[in-house]
Amino acid sequence: MTAAGDGPWLDDAAGRLVRPFTVSNGRTRPTVALDLVSQVMATGATPLGYLGPEHAQALERCRVPVAVAEVAAHLRLPVAVTKVLLADLVDCGALTTKPPAFHHNPTDRALLEAVLDGLRRQL
């Protein structure tokens, strides 16, 4: 039985019915450099050619700026697969991407403190 809103790709008992690597046609490397906190956003351009349902779901999720990790969580796909899908959308002009604000200083103290505070609130 399919879980509500998940479409034909998930099953309550069996889990994912389609292996993640089939979603990306076996590709494991994106053509665009993306990390977990890279921001992606739809450009409004209509992608040409065939896009799978996961591409369409990702594009819908990117109507506002969103992090790659959030898209992966929403799609319930591994980040590596999600990066390939998002790179496809960037390549066809449907998405734009930008590195996170702390791109040049990944050990920014304020960022690390914010992560630590968030983790403490979860405990």
Side-chain angles (χ1 to χ4, degrees):
M1 174 173 237
T2 305
D6 288 329
W9 307 113
L10 295 176
D11 181 84
D12 290 337
R16 181 166 283 283
L17 298 176
V18 175
R19 294 282 184 196
F21 67 86
T22 61
V23 172
S24 63
N25 293 324
R27 294 172 294 140
T28 59
R29 288 193 167 67
T31 57
V32 177
L34 297 168
D35 60 29
L36 289 175
V37 292
S38 293
Q39 297 284 304
V40 290
M41 183 174 173
T43 62
T46 303
L48 300 175
Y50 173 76
L51 293 178
E54 288 82 5
H55 285 96
Q57 290 172 348
L59 190 55
E60 177 66 22
R61 185 69 178 167
C62 297
R63 287 183 289 152
V64 297
V66 63
V68 169
E70 188 175 338
V71 176
H74 177 74
L75 295 178
R76 298 182 185 178
L77 287 171
V79 173
V81 173
T82 302
K83 286 180 180 181
V84 171
L85 295 177
L86 294 175
D88 290 347
L89 292 167
V90 169
D91 290 343
C92 73
L95 282 185
T96 187
T97 181
K98 70 175 188 170
F102 65 90
H103 182 69
H104 298 293
N105 186 10
T107 56
D108 178 43
R109 182 176 178 94
L111 173 67
L112 295 174
E113 287 175 357
V115 169
L116 182 59
D117 290 342
L119 290 171
R120 285 182 178 149
R121 280 190 295 251
Q122 295 296 319
L123 299 176

